[in-house]
Amino acid sequence: FNDTFVPYENNVCVDEVFDRYARKNPDKIAIGDETKEVTYKEASEITDRVAAELRKLGVRHNDAVAIEAERSADTILLFIAALKAGAVYVPIESDMPAEKIKYMLDNCNAKVIIAVNKEKFKNAGVRFIDRESILNGTEDIRFVTPAGRTSVDCMYYLYTSGTTGNPKATMITHRNIMRTVQDRVGGIYDENDVALLSCSLAFDGSAHSIWGTLLNGATLRIIPVDIIVDHKKFRERIVKYGVIARSEERRVGKECRS
């Protein structure tokens, strides 16, 4: 009665599982937005290169790497790269008030921030890394993931919006995410799925959307806000990309069909 135990991989890091799918299905589209598509192989190679660059810049095990949470494939690549470097990623909404951004960066003791608009973060007190520069590097690097990482390491800091005060953080581990995305009771993605991400990349619901797809070999499509709020354009994207489910409704849909 009430047997809720679900087996899952509890001794791996998220990026290791992602790279497993890069080896299995290298030419499959992993992430796409309105301007670019990235295969699993390409994503693995890009994130290896960026992770190596982060290590060269002094990022070490459990350091916090703040990342401007623009709705794009590039942001997801930076999340993965930070993890490969052994770090913790911290999604930052650039439209938040400057004082709250600075509070979050100070609170998590961010080592660097990767963003587009340097002016926006000029008073953040954290080393700025230009997103385009670090993503578009051409150096051929054989990257080796640093030793000493475990599945109970913190993977990212999830901050609240701070509407009633200062933003508050929750520490999410690799094991937490593996448990979430391999929940075969509630429903997961499979390699044939295509899902739309329709929430903020700094919102807690995005974790299931991002990692539920990429850690099960599926395809993640990211669409801009102006399309999300236009039901006709939104439907066009569903048809265009062959979307099987909008990610936030995936679990509910599977439960209803069971």
Side-chain angles (χ1 to χ4, degrees), residues 14-46:
V14 160
D15 51 283
E16 294 172 327
V17 179
F18 176 81
D19 276 343
R20 181 193 305 164
Y21 280 103
R23 293 188 294 271
K24 181 180 180 182
N25 298 315
D27 298 324
K28 180 180 176 61
I29 299 299
I31 316 162
D33 56 31
E34 291 292 290
T35 62
K36 72 188 296 182
E37 292 180 336
V38 185
T39 66
Y40 273 87
K41 179 182 179 181
E42 290 168 339
S44 180
E45 292 173 347
I46 293 168

Side-chain angles (χ1 to χ4, degrees), residues 25-84:
N25 298 315
D27 298 324
K28 180 180 176 61
I29 299 299
I31 316 162
D33 56 31
E34 291 292 290
T35 62
K36 72 188 296 182
E37 292 180 336
V38 185
T39 66
Y40 273 87
K41 179 182 179 181
E42 290 168 339
S44 180
E45 292 173 347
I46 293 168
T47 53
D48 277 357
R49 186 175 67 246
V50 174
E53 186 63 27
L54 288 173
R55 297 287 294 183
K56 284 171 60 178
L57 292 171
V59 172
R60 293 294 180 263
H61 187 216
N62 289 331
D63 281 347
V65 173
I67 299 169
E68 185 177 12
E70 180 187 67
R71 300 178 60 84
S72 69
D74 286 345
T75 301
I76 308 300
L77 293 173
L78 290 171
F79 288 172
I80 299 170
L83 298 178
K84 287 186 173 185

Side-chain angles (χ1 to χ4, degrees), residues 54 57 59 64-69 78 90-94 101-102 105 110-118 120-122 124-131 134:
L54 288 173
L57 292 171
V59 172
V65 173
I67 299 169
E68 185 177 12
L78 290 171
V90 187
I92 301 288
E93 290 278 22
S94 61
I101 291 176
K102 187 171 191 317
L105 297 175
K111 185 82 171 182
V112 298
I113 182 163
I114 307 175
V116 175
N117 186 354
K118 185 174 184 178
K120 176 70 178 181
F121 302 100
K122 66 179 182 180
V126 176
R127 181 173 184 174
F128 178 87
I129 299 175
D130 180 73
R131 187 190 71 181
I134 197 168

Side-chain angles (χ1 to χ4, degrees), residues 118-186:
K118 185 174 184 178
E119 186 67 19
K120 176 70 178 181
F121 302 100
K122 66 179 182 180
N123 296 319
V126 176
R127 181 173 184 174
F128 178 87
I129 299 175
D130 180 73
R131 187 190 71 181
E132 299 304 318
S133 296
I134 197 168
L135 279 170
N136 296 326
T138 57
E139 185 177 356
D140 186 16
I141 295 173
R142 184 174 178 81
F143 177 69
V144 178
T145 304
R149 302 189 311 149
T150 72
S151 62
V152 295
D153 283 349
C154 184
M155 175 179 158
Y156 73 98
Y157 296 136
L158 173 65
Y159 276 89
T160 64
S161 62
T163 52
T164 58
N166 287 325
K168 301 170 183 64
T170 299
M171 299 172 66
I172 310 297
T173 69
H174 289 261
R175 182 177 291 181
N176 292 153
I177 290 298
M178 291 306 302
R179 174 64 182 85
T180 299
V181 304
Q182 292 185 341
D183 180 356
R184 298 179 186 278
V185 173

Side-chain angles (χ1 to χ4, degrees), residues 10 12 71 139 143 146 231 234:
N10 61 5
V12 295
R71 300 178 60 84
E139 185 177 356
F143 177 69
H231 69 93
F234 189 82

